[in-house]
Amino acid sequence: MFDMLTKKFSSLFSALTASNTITQSAITDTTNQIREVLLDADVPYSVVDAFLAELSKRVIGEKLVKSLNPGQQFMGHVYDVMCQFMGNTNQQSHIFSVPSTVLVMGLQGSGKTTTIAKLAYHVLQTQKKIKKNGILLASVDFYRPAAIDQLEILAAQVGCSFYRAISTNPVQATTEIMNYAKKIGAQLIFLDTAGRLHIDTTMIQELKIIDDIVQTPHKMLVLDSMTGQESLNVAQAFDQAIGFEAVIFTKMDSDTRGGAAFAFKYMLKKSIIYIGMGEKLADLQPFNPVRTVGRILGKGDLLTLAEKADATIKQSDQERSLKALAKGNFTLEDFANQIDMVKSLGSLSSIMQYLPNMGGAQLSRDTIDKGEKEMRTFRAIISSMTQKERYMPDIIDGSRKMRIAKGAGVTVSQVTTLLERFKQSQQYVKLLKKSGLFKGMFR
């Protein structure tokens, strides 16, 4: 997400903030480079001009703060203006009123149907008062082959209710679905509407009638981030014809430049509430503008990473790992568990985006792939060990190394490398224990 912006801004500010002095010409040069970065990211010209005008207004004639060097102060203004443009809020998750219907709209190919399932899954994780059988997924998309079949399969994966209308007329089917939802007492209905390859009069008129039947404040527009500035035109057309509450950008894990998402709040005066970051049900993230700006500018986002860890790693596993560190009794079993926990958070490249000064790190794809391959190798080696060897690695001699290597399908030298890395980790753990970092965390 916003990888291009992160890398460009990281290199742009590294020299600027390292300097104790900064000239007006340096600020002008940096501003011009910011223009190029935003335009390269496919941010519309009008938004770039407005952004730089606001930035200049803040910088010109400003008095310097003694505790900051000029470069840091300038970067602080960039951060503030970015937050202003992208939505100066720290929301964590959108709350749907209950009972209600969520009308999901979008063009064909935007990922609308998959997004509905992700939304249902996310609601079940965050709005605990809503039960699985309280969520109903239904569709009036009779134009795309197998669209309703796809939604039925996804509903089963989520574990919520699904209804297939008897009528194949979108308007009549909507009434039928709403009556069924009322009959079963559904708390939340996610209604998938028909899309087109482009906006046309028939689709708009159909959506208006469906909107009149449903009468909900929760109208979500799904946009494909890969379409760039065209997604902004689509959003404006939907807003003028029907209106919507907020937007969900899909495919943000792909090779998208992010310009449309950057400009959306400023141009549409509406919020991005979620972004799709993959194909799995859990790959839907609340969009937090302030934290996103922090990642773009290299400040990292440890809060989101911690929340992601809490959502994906069992509390008992986290506590067991911390206790092992606190006692200084760090074993190969603990080492393996930590590898598993890191893996559950995603790829190394995705995790790096949340770490300060790492999102724009110029690490090659080969370097990252090598690191992930090494993690998998280490995990396989530990799995090939006996329980005694995991807790007492000092007993691993030459013959044991050969047996472990054969079982893991690796070389003896790779087993030796793992043991050396593990010893280094033990030394770090001992240093942390001596520093008193874990003191008081456990009784």
Side-chain angles (χ1 to χ4, degrees), residues 5 9 34-43 48 51 262:
L5 281 172
F9 274 111
I34 290 174
R35 177 185 294 277
E36 291 179 9
V37 168
L38 293 178
L39 290 176
D40 286 346
D42 203 27
V43 179
V48 174
F51 178 87
F262 180 94

Side-chain angles (χ1 to χ4, degrees), residues 160-260:
C160 60
S161 302
F162 170 81
Y163 180 72
R164 184 187 295 267
I166 297 174
S167 174
T168 57
N169 177 283
V171 175
Q172 293 175 1
T174 299
T175 301
E176 185 183 333
I177 290 166
M178 297 304 293
N179 289 336
Y180 177 80
K182 186 177 182 180
K183 179 181 177 181
I184 66 171
Q187 295 172 283
L188 202 56
I189 308 146
F190 287 97
L191 185 61
D192 187 12
T193 61
R196 302 287 197 281
L197 293 176
H198 54 82
I199 296 174
D200 62 37
T201 304
T202 302
M203 178 185 71
I204 293 299
Q205 290 303 318
E206 186 178 282
L207 283 172
K208 284 182 177 180
I209 298 172
I210 292 172
D211 185 29
D212 287 339
I213 295 172
V214 173
Q215 294 187 352
T216 176
H218 298 311
K219 288 181 282 186
M220 300 293 149
L221 179 62
V222 179
L223 295 174
D224 181 353
S225 64
M226 293 292 289
T227 60
Q229 291 188 32
E230 179 57 27
S231 64
L232 297 173
N233 297 330
V234 170
Q236 288 173 330
F238 269 94
D239 193 32
Q240 291 169 4
I242 302 163
F244 58 88
E245 179 186 8
V247 75
I248 301 169
F249 267 100
T250 61
K251 307 175 189 177
M252 288 296 287
D253 56 320
S254 58
D255 189 22
T256 178
R257 289 180 284 178

Side-chain angles (χ1 to χ4, degrees), residues 368-413:
I368 295 174
D369 289 344
K370 182 179 179 182
E372 293 185 334
K373 183 179 180 181
E374 190 173 66
M375 284 177 60
R376 291 194 296 270
T377 299
F378 284 175
R379 189 63 183 87
I381 292 171
I382 297 173
S383 297
S384 186
M385 294 177 182
T386 65
Q387 187 175 30
K388 185 177 181 179
E389 288 167 343
R390 296 179 193 181
Y391 285 92
M392 300 175 63
D394 289 338
I395 68 172
I396 301 178
D397 54 17
S399 61
R400 287 177 182 266
K401 285 183 181 180
M402 291 178 66
R403 190 203 79 247
I404 293 168
K406 185 177 181 180
V410 300
T411 64
V412 172
S413 63

Side-chain angles (χ1 to χ4, degrees), residues 48 81 124 181 206-207 217 220 272 281 320 351 417:
V48 174
V81 178
L124 288 172
E206 186 178 282
L207 283 172
M220 300 293 149
I272 302 171
L281 290 175
R320 184 171 64 248
I351 294 173
T417 299

